[in-house]
Structures are given as structure tokens and as C-alpha cells.
Amino acid sequence: MSTWTVAPEPYDSPVAAALWRAYYTEVSDRYYLLHEGRRTDPDELEREIAAQTGAELTPPRGQLLVGRYGGEPAGTAGVRLLSDGRAELTRVFVREEMRGRGGAALLVRAAEDAARALGATTLILDTRADLAEARALYARLGYEETPPHNEQLYADHWFRKHLG
């Protein structure tokens, strides 16, 4: 029986880069298919993947975690320290073929632990309406929906959780 493991991973490792590409491709294509009936333009996809390196997800102000299922890279979660005891949860992703096996909740809980280790007392995040599975996950894990805390172009739902 396969099991999950979660461990820190350098944001620029080949494993992290491949998972970032899979994550960004999926959420970008999902957005464009829903709103414009097309997939992401390949040039735009490459620009955006390259522009969002994940460098902020490195100690001492951040952390990228990779979840492996049966030893195979299967998902990510990242945290970056902000101000006033807050950290942002980001890059929560599980490869489609690995979903339904408890990995997303495990990754989020590991990210909460990483945020605490960075000194955060509250974790915040943003997501989109069409990512209903993500919103359900956050609600199930005790996140409460809040008014906007940023002006991200594609965000339309904001959450927080006190890490107490």
C-alpha cells in the first residue's frame, strides 16, 4: 500500500519546476476554458510560469513542500511569511491522478506547520470561484472566508485560519 510523505523542496529543483508547470497549466487552462472557451496561449503560459519562480518560498521567509505518493512527486504546498504574524498559503496542488487519496489535506496541514515554524499565527490565501474543490478543502480544514486581503487579478475568494 502506498503512502504519502511530505518534505521541504528547493523551489528551483526539477521536481518543483515540473509540479509548478503542471499546477499552472491546469489552473490557467481551467480559467480560459471556462471564460473564453480555449486553452492558455502557449507563449503566455511560458511567460507566466517563468515570471513566478517561487523564490519567495525559501527559508527563512518561506517554504515549499512537496508531497510524494509511493515515492513519486504528486503535489505541492507553499507558504511565505508576510507581516503582522501572517503567512500566505500558495501553490496547493495535487496531480489529478493522485487526487482522492488524502494528499491535499496532508499538504495543507504540513504547510500550516511550516508557517508556524516561520513564526506565523495566521495563514491567509486566495482562490477562485471555479476552483470549488479547493474552497471545499479549505472550509473542511477550518479556514473561514474573509473580505479581500489583496487585489490579485484572478482571486475572488479569500480565506484565513488562525494557527493558534
Side-chain angles (χ1 to χ4, degrees):
M1 176 186 245
S2 293
T3 60
W4 283 96
T5 59
V6 177
E9 181 84 20
Y11 77 92
D12 57 353
S13 77
V15 165
L19 287 166
W20 170 233
R21 174 174 292 284
Y23 167 83
Y24 196 88
T25 300
E26 181 177 327
V27 297
S28 184
D29 280 353
R30 192 165 174 172
Y31 178 86
Y32 281 117
L33 285 167
L34 178 65
H35 295 284
E36 297 182 15
R38 65 172 179 89
R39 295 195 179 280
T40 310
D41 174 84
D43 291 336
E44 176 188 358
L45 184 68
E46 293 307 317
R47 276 193 313 273
E48 292 304 315
I49 288 171
Q52 299 181 45
T53 65
E56 71 279 7
L57 303 177
T58 57
R61 302 214 34 97
Q63 185 70 69
L64 180 67
L65 303 166
V66 166
R68 288 176 168 79
Y69 186 76
E72 292 298 317
T76 62
V79 293
R80 66 183 186 102
L81 199 56
L82 301 173
S83 60
D84 304 326
R86 296 179 310 142
E88 180 182 27
L89 178 63
T90 186
R91 295 196 184 196
V92 176
F93 172 71
V94 174
R95 289 185 7 228
E96 185 174 10
E97 64 273 17
M98 298 295 181
R99 293 178 188 157
R101 301 174 188 190
L106 185 67
L107 280 160
V108 170
R109 288 186 186 110
E112 290 170 359
D113 291 342
R116 282 186 200 93
L118 293 171
T121 57
T122 302
L123 204 51
I124 62 171
L125 65 96
D126 63 66
T127 190
R128 299 189 324 232
D130 64 301
L131 300 176
E133 306 91 340
R135 293 191 343 269
L137 170 71
Y138 300 132
R140 189 170 71 249
L141 295 177
Y143 287 77
E144 61 181 319
E145 198 151 357
T146 67
H149 59 257
N150 64 27
E151 296 179 6
Q152 290 293 326
L153 179 60
Y154 298 107
D156 49 21
H157 289 271
W158 295 263
F159 290 84
R160 82 168 163 233
K161 182 177 184 179
H162 295 288
L163 298 176

